[in-house]
Amino acid sequence: MSRLATTAGALGLLLGCMGPAAPEALISTISSAHVQITSTYTGAELVVFGVIERDGRVGAQTEPYDVVVTARGPAANAVVREKVRFGPIWMNLDQRKFVDVPVTLAVLSNRPVGEITETHLRRRYRLGLEMQVGPGGTDVAWDAAFLDALLRLKRESGLYVEKPAAVTFLTPSIFQATVPVPALAPVGAYKVEVALLSGGLELARTETGFAVGKVGFEAAVARYARLHGWFYGLITVAMALVFGYTASIIFRRD
Amino acid sequence: MQIYLPIAELPVSIFLILGLGAAVGFISGMFGVGGGFLMTPLLIFIGIPPAVVVATGTAQIAASSLTGSLAYWRRRALDVKLGSVLLAGGLVGTVAGVAFFNSMRRVGQLDLVITLSYIALLGSIGSLMFVESAKALISERRGAAAPSRRAGQHPWYAFLPFRMRFHRSRLYVSVLPLLVLAFTIGFIGSVLGIGGGFLMVPALLYLFRVPTAVVIGTSLFQILFTMMAAVILHAVTNQSVDIILGIILVVGGVFGAQFGARAGKNIRGQQFRLLLALIILAVGVRFGSEIALRPDEPFSLGPQEIRP
């Protein structure tokens, strides 16, 4: 209910601040700037709203619009290891490191990204899961197996999602997309890029974002563990001993 | 019901963890082992990061070993003097183990170290115990008297310097091999997130011929204190102790252990050893199959550490 209210508010704000701009202007906003991790957190969903604003010039755009929303989590180095037969056992002997890979990634579009534009343009615009990893535009074919594995493993664990029908147009110029925040999403800043395309060419792009953070008890525990390791350790030990002792009292039979 | 673990940074089912804690607690109460050698692989298997599992498991072992120690203390089946000597070696081993754990984690080989160590340990200990207890059971069936301990029959390492008398254990041995044993187990324990009871119990039984009656209590006593030290060391040096996960495991574990301890009273010595050997072997085979069989998915993702 509260999300509906915020989205309605956001939409109203959007419509209100539309003004004259380039041939095609794109305005987008997100239903919430914060995802709070509490003790019952199991993932979340945010809604991105966008408005395409056209100037009145004749023949501006005849092809239908396409929208691709890319939500990137905090970046980290990812190591992909491959098990290789070593004597009688299989061991992680081969590995590739991918620098600054988003930990989570969601690519949402109104139709499959492959249909929206051609491969070389997708690489340039960085549209689609496989275009997000590795330095944009460079050839990573020499370890394609590792890149495939990275994307496959990330997909299987739900950290990377590609939804080719998640962007829906409410009217020809207003669209919305639901951005999933997985349960395993790390805390940090998330960037949401909205790209507007037509006829395979990019017309406009906007960026918004949100933050995932721990609040309340969870935040306090994590902070305590980091700042006061000794004290935290002692509390944990005390907790363990109290439970152990209580159990021996409760169950004492002799 | 899902609950979010603040240090592991993922939600887990509270009932799944409680159930795991109870099941492992049952086995732990039954055999007087910490149960860490079962708990650690199970928690890693359900997706909790190995570093968090190992560091947090130590808290659970501390709780269940306190309950166990108190029970054996009341039955006077605990040799405090022997336990204290073992503790001295165990504490030094724990400090060294946590340091090794942290350095392996830095170079990214922690998972391999954990898997290989489990296979080596569980495989060798399990087979030894299985063969020994099976032989004993067979000879018992045939009516032959079980070989009992004879006075004056001691292995060479009992005669090293610094000999000490342990009345309750009917033992007169050098403390050096005891310290080496305890150091080794403390080291392994803090690296693998296990109490080491499944190593300590057979070692005291077979290497030092400590009477079965006091072995378990003494082992639990030593585990209690080394694990308390391990919790604090892990909390200070790698901040991987998850207190929420710890509480759930402890609650499940202490209840399971009580029922396990009752069940354990009805098992005779030889059967007891055979059963324990089978459990240890089963976990070892599980680990072994993981690296011996062609993996369905040869690729795996290393831990992604986000730079602040």
Side-chain angles (χ1 to χ4, degrees), chain A residues 38 90 132 138 166 169 193 208 220 226 242 249:
Chain A
T38 60
W90 291 81
Q132 308 298 323
T138 59
F169 280 90
E193 255 177 26
T208 166
R226 205 173 55 247
V242 166
I249 297 294

Side-chain angles (χ1 to χ4, degrees), chain B residues 42-306:
Chain B
L42 285 173
L43 290 176
I44 292 174
F45 184 69
I46 65 169
I48 299 174
V52 176
V53 170
V54 168
T56 309
T58 52
Q60 191 258 335
I61 300 165
S64 61
S65 55
L66 174 66
T67 315
S69 304
L70 288 172
Y72 284 96
W73 172 253
R74 290 193 200 106
R75 274 190 247 156
R76 306 187 57 74
L78 196 164
D79 187 337
V80 175
K81 192 174 174 188
L82 177 60
S84 304
V85 170
L86 292 174
L87 178 57
L91 285 179
V92 181
T94 302
V95 174
V98 172
F100 179 73
F101 178 93
N102 288 334
S103 64
M104 282 296 110
R105 197 177 169 206
R106 270 194 297 279
V107 297
Q109 291 299 334
L110 185 61
D111 291 5
L112 180 65
V113 167
I114 289 179
T115 308
L116 285 180
S117 316
Y118 264 112
I119 293 167
L121 272 180
L122 300 172
S124 53
I125 303 289
S127 317
L128 274 176
M129 287 182 68
F130 181 79
V131 170
E132 201 276 345
S133 52
K135 267 188 197 161
L137 263 184
I138 290 167
S139 65
E140 201 174 290
R141 286 276 154 75
R142 286 185 186 147
S148 62
R149 197 170 74 131
R150 268 173 293 160
Q153 189 191 43
H154 289 302
W156 61 270
Y157 45 78
F159 300 101
L160 290 170
F162 306 108
R163 291 186 83 179
M164 202 184 262
R165 197 172 290 283
F166 301 97
H167 290 289
R168 183 147 290 159
S169 305
R170 291 185 285 146
L171 210 62
Y172 182 52
V173 291
S174 160
V175 295
L176 292 179
L178 289 173
L179 287 175
V180 169
L181 171 73
F183 174 89
T184 313
I185 294 177
F187 183 89
I188 296 170
S190 51
V191 173
L192 298 188
I194 57 180
F198 78 102
L199 296 172
M200 185 65 88
V201 170
L204 291 180
L205 278 175
Y206 301 127
L207 298 181
F208 294 95
R209 310 241 170 243
V210 175
T212 315
V214 294
V215 160
I216 296 172
T218 307
S219 159
L220 283 171
F221 173 83
Q222 190 263 351
I223 289 168
L224 167 63
F225 287 97
T226 46
M227 285 298 110
M228 282 165 57
V231 174
I232 294 173
L233 285 171
H234 277 299
V236 171
T237 59
N238 53 46
Q239 286 103 39
S240 293
V241 179
D242 195 311
I243 194 166
I244 304 294
L245 178 63
I247 289 174
I248 306 173
L249 288 178
V250 165
V251 170
V254 289
F255 282 93
Q258 294 305 319
F259 296 107
R262 298 232 173 106
K265 280 182 198 154
N266 304 323
I267 304 179
R268 287 180 306 131
Q270 301 300 344
Q271 290 170 339
F272 163 94
R273 288 184 206 167
L274 187 68
L275 259 177
L276 183 56
L278 282 176
I279 293 175
I280 292 173
L281 269 180
V283 181
V285 167
R286 161 82 179 74
F287 266 98
S289 70
E290 204 163 90
I291 63 163
L293 302 177
R294 173 182 287 275
D296 292 337
E297 168 65 271
F299 294 97
S300 63
L301 275 182
Q304 260 184 307
E305 298 202 358
I306 299 157

Side-chain angles (χ1 to χ4, degrees), chain A residues 121-134:
Chain A
L121 289 175
R122 285 204 290 133
R123 182 169 295 145
R124 190 201 296 171
Y125 300 146
R126 292 189 74 194
L127 299 177
L129 278 190
E130 68 278 19
M131 302 302 172
Q132 308 298 323
V133 177

